[in-house]
Amino acid sequence: MSEGPKLVPFFKATCVYFVLWLPTSSPSWFSALIKCLPIFCLWVFLLAHGINFLVSHRSASRILAGLIFSAVGDAFLIWQEQGYFIHGLLMFGITHILYSSAFGMKPLDLKAGLLMGVVSSSCYAFLYSYLSGPFTYLVAVYIALIGFMGWRAVAGLSACVGAMLFMVSDLTIALNEFCFPVPYSRFIIMATYYAAQMLIALSAVETRDEEDFRKRS
């Protein structure tokens, strides 16, 4: 069954975000709502498959939980200039733990793990000289978490592209926040982020279809 119609609200909410393009200099609950709305639509997308689906497929329920923490993180980042950047970082760290758990440890694919370890270490090595205070270790932990999530997604091929886009989004945030202004950073961050979350949510349904096919076989 095509999942396209169930994703129409997500695409509409994403368009609303980019059309309104509310200024980040004036954070408000309305701007938080508009930013989180596409993620809310992905909650509905998963819930539309039924509670039984979420209960019987633990990977899907963990992805839903990850989307919930993502929305909270998005709201915190609306007020990042008011001191809530670390709170957002924590919420997304929990999101990556939940996604990693959803993707599982089989197949292990140590080569993919080694590659992701090299990429993550290289990113942190580049960022290190720009970091200070608690961010020196907080960013290290966060990169380790998203790198691990990326490894599990690549190894299982369930949400490979989504995980890579998430990493691009977060790397752009890090460069823009700690290193230097990135041209069109907000557009790059949000476009890759929304696409990543949609693909990860879709992977939960695709995994269900694969499991159901194996059972019928």
Side-chain angles (χ1 to χ4, degrees), residues 52-141:
N52 289 338
F53 160 66
L54 294 170
V55 172
S56 59
H57 297 81
R58 280 186 287 181
S59 61
S61 60
R62 288 167 185 169
I63 286 174
L64 175 60
L67 288 168
I68 292 171
F69 277 99
S70 292
V72 177
D74 282 331
F76 276 130
L77 291 181
I78 287 288
W79 286 278
Q80 66 182 53
E81 299 301 326
Q82 285 71 36
Y84 288 95
F85 184 81
I86 291 179
H87 300 72
L89 201 68
L90 175 61
M91 293 300 103
F92 279 106
I94 295 171
T95 294
H96 296 317
I97 292 171
L98 288 164
Y99 286 170
S100 299
S101 176
F103 300 148
M105 292 302 296
K106 294 179 181 179
L108 193 59
D109 197 348
L110 292 176
K111 289 183 180 179
L114 179 61
L115 176 62
M116 202 58 62
V118 170
V119 171
S120 300
S121 299
S122 299
C123 289
Y124 183 69
F126 178 82
L127 293 169
Y128 181 77
S129 61
Y130 295 95
L131 302 173
S132 60
F135 287 111
T136 304
Y137 58 85
L138 287 175
V139 171
V141 172

Side-chain angles (χ1 to χ4, degrees), residues 24 33-34 43 50 61-62 69 72 101 121 124 126 136 145 152 162 167 173 187 198:
T24 56
L33 173 63
I34 295 301
W43 298 3
S61 60
R62 288 167 185 169
F69 277 99
V72 177
S101 176
S121 299
Y124 183 69
F126 178 82
T136 304
L145 290 175
R152 297 323 309 148
M167 294 178 76
I173 290 175
F187 177 81
M198 180 195 70

Side-chain angles (χ1 to χ4, degrees), residues 42-55:
L42 291 177
W43 298 3
V44 175
F45 168 72
L46 290 179
L47 289 168
H49 289 83
I51 298 299
N52 289 338
F53 160 66
L54 294 170
V55 172

Side-chain angles (χ1 to χ4, degrees), residues 177-201:
E177 182 74 18
F178 301 114
C179 304
F180 47 79
V182 176
Y184 308 107
S185 59
R186 184 180 170 192
F187 177 81
I188 295 169
I189 290 164
M190 297 311 299
T192 53
Y193 171 69
Y194 286 142
Q197 294 283 40
M198 180 195 70
L199 291 170
I200 289 172

